Amino acid sequence: MTELSKSESEIYSLRKEKEAAIRDSKIDSFPTYFENTTNASEILKLHSNLTDGEKTEISTSVRGRILSIRSFGKLTFMDLKDYSGKIQLVLSQEELSTELAQYIENYDVGDLVGVSGNIMKTKKGEISIKVTDSILLSKSLRNFPEKWHGLKDKETRFRQRYLDFIVNEDAIKTIQTRFQIIKLIREFMDSKHFIEVETPTLQPKAGGAIARPFTTHHNAMSIDMFLRIAPELYLKRLIIGGFEKVYEIGKVFRNEGIDMTHSPEFTMMESYQAYTNVNGVMDMVEEMCCYVFSKLNVNSEISYLDSKADFSFPWKRISMFDLVNNKFNLNIDFDSDINSILSSLEKNFGLTYSSKTIGLLVYELFENHIEKEIIDPTFVTDYPKEVSPFARESKEKQGITERFELFAFGSELANGFSELIDPEDQEQRLKEQAIKKSDGDDEAHVEDKDYIDALEYGLPPTGGLGFGIDRFVMMLTNNESIREVIAFPHLKPES
RNA sequence: GGGUCGCUAGCUCAAUUUGGCAGAGCAACGGACUCUUAAUCCGCAGGUUCGGGGUUCAAGUCCCCGGCGACCCA
């Protein structure tokens, strides 16, 4: 137990005394099981037609946490909260046995109790339970945050997330929506006959994305291992093995900074489907989001923070080259002369770039000047080969891949492509990454002979997708920070 | 990695500008109260001002070092 301050320990010992009084009472407390007949919101829903002041003989029992107590001496009101909502309890001392009345005197805000009683409506019109019996299920020994202002301090909210969930309805609602969304994504993928799989989280090589991994060590095998930065290369091995449609929802880990949109561990849905390509993947993403929106009753007009976006389908699909050309009034094509474009950018916009290739230049211009401005959901296509080591090169446009990233509200939501299936090409691309790595780029991809071996047995033409669950949830729950959509976001220990 | 701001009672916040007894509301505790729902009224108590050092007669306040957090930038 952490050390308590003086006022905290006073409350602690006081509540310990009340707990002892409860134990000393003839009423047998702290049962391991308490049967309820219904829950708070069900009661409110079923009895809204009562008239003010009406009392019924309908008996009910519920269980939950006491959120507040308003006492009038001989009449006491309490708010009881369970998973479904809140219900008011009315306790009239004259209608309870002396023993039970004394017993309930020992209840505090925060205690978990079971109650039985009859459903009624107060004179002021609040549906309540007139308590006839109650039992303490678990005692709270700590002082709760204030009921009106609640718990605001972000650090405390995330360090003691359970308190946040008890006190802040928005917090619990966000997490509920998160898991509902994940469930809906599963439903959709299952309906499309994808099978859900699990691939290694501990990997001897951290592959499938451009990111710095967390490192660990396996003692028995005596090798360093890495937490996965993506499940990609294993999922494609499953496609090689004959699974034609697979997906995985799980954590990936990237050893990078933490900010409003980045968490070192986050949740991705990755899917791979044989015999389709980048266009099929974009279609599927749209269909999947459509399913989620309709089940969540989300309007196609989505408000997020200060902006509004039109999520009606179909979503715009536009080449990164077109976006850049429109923005800078240029006419860059995959085979343009880089030097004349660099000088034109400098002359007309005062922008100094030293990109080595057309592809890298377009990519940098897009990242620096355009990405943040994309509000309506948009599939940006034609990613340069240099930044897409696993995507298949376009047949028509040299140096450009069949790849897209989906953006909305200035943030990346998804990434997908026609998978590179040629082992020689793949080997060459990873070699280029390895050179970057040896030049000091610790995010560059490692060579992976084992994966190349697998490709040599034949990967069918395949469309792959990575879909960022956390950011999707942020947009649908109107949360600015990724921490809000993660039940237990990481914080540095205090000491 | 750089910058700005913050950390005061269990919670939400004052007091920092100009160094001069560390305060309020809610929660708790004692009392009154049978229809409240931020209940009301009376009373009482609660502090390592994030930690360490320095300046000063005097530091929550100024200076230095450290911790944690928030935001902005790269």
Side-chain angles (χ1 to χ4, degrees), chain A residues 361-424:
Chain A
L361 175 63
V362 168
Y363 182 69
E364 284 169 34
L365 287 169
F366 171 75
E367 272 204 319
N368 295 336
H369 305 286
I370 297 171
E371 182 179 318
K372 281 198 185 65
E373 294 172 7
I374 299 176
I375 303 299
D376 287 343
T378 303
F379 293 104
V380 176
T381 60
D382 289 348
Y383 272 66
K385 187 175 164 183
E386 297 90 319
V387 296
S388 314
F390 294 102
R392 201 161 169 175
E393 189 169 8
S394 158
K395 284 197 194 298
E396 298 82 34
K397 306 173 201 167
Q398 204 191 340
I400 287 172
T401 58
E402 287 195 9
R403 175 183 174 194
F404 74 86
E405 283 191 351
L406 173 63
F407 293 87
F409 294 112
S411 188
E412 181 198 339
L413 268 184
N415 176 21
F417 34 87
S418 303
E419 299 297 332
L420 177 54
I421 63 170
D422 179 342
E424 276 181 45

Side-chain angles (χ1 to χ4, degrees), chain A residues 185 189 194-199 203 207-209 228-236 238 245-252 254 266-273 281 284 288 415-417 419 463-469:
Chain A
I185 289 174
M189 295 305 284
F194 279 78
I195 62 167
E196 182 170 8
V197 298
E198 290 181 301
T199 63
Q203 302 179 347
R228 67 177 175 193
I229 55 175
E232 169 153 349
L233 302 186
Y234 287 93
L235 290 170
K236 284 192 278 196
L238 287 176
K245 289 175 161 186
V246 293
Y247 76 101
E248 176 166 11
I249 294 177
K251 287 280 181 71
V252 296
R254 297 185 182 177
F266 61 99
T267 302
M268 284 236 291
M269 195 278 280
E270 283 207 10
S271 74
Y272 292 84
Q273 176 178 2
V281 176
M284 188 190 82
M288 179 178 86
N415 176 21
F417 34 87
E419 299 297 332
L465 169 70
F467 189 88
I469 303 278

Side-chain angles (χ1 to χ4, degrees), chain A residues 38-50 87 127:
Chain A
T38 181
N39 62 58
S41 77
E42 195 73 13
I43 292 173
L44 297 183
K45 204 162 65 189
L46 291 178
H47 301 283
S48 58
N49 56 347
L50 294 177
I87 183 76
I127 296 163

Side-chain angles (χ1 to χ4, degrees), chain A residues 312-411:
Chain A
S312 55
F313 301 98
W315 292 342
K316 203 193 296 175
R317 300 180 185 189
I318 185 161
S319 162
M320 184 183 290
F321 283 69
D322 291 343
L323 285 169
V324 168
N325 284 335
N326 292 343
K327 172 99 183 170
F328 295 100
N329 198 23
L330 292 167
N331 196 17
I332 311 178
D333 210 340
F334 66 95
D335 52 1
S336 299
D337 173 50
I338 183 146
N339 290 321
S340 66
I341 289 163
L342 285 175
S343 58
S344 143
L345 275 171
E346 172 117 43
K347 197 173 69 189
N348 298 327
F349 295 92
L351 295 173
T352 312
Y353 277 86
S354 54
S355 319
K356 293 204 170 63
T357 63
I358 282 286
L360 287 175
L361 175 63
V362 168
Y363 182 69
E364 284 169 34
L365 287 169
F366 171 75
E367 272 204 319
N368 295 336
H369 305 286
I370 297 171
E371 182 179 318
K372 281 198 185 65
E373 294 172 7
I374 299 176
I375 303 299
D376 287 343
T378 303
F379 293 104
V380 176
T381 60
D382 289 348
Y383 272 66
K385 187 175 164 183
E386 297 90 319
V387 296
S388 314
F390 294 102
R392 201 161 169 175
E393 189 169 8
S394 158
K395 284 197 194 298
E396 298 82 34
K397 306 173 201 167
Q398 204 191 340
I400 287 172
T401 58
E402 287 195 9
R403 175 183 174 194
F404 74 86
E405 283 191 351
L406 173 63
F407 293 87
F409 294 112
S411 188

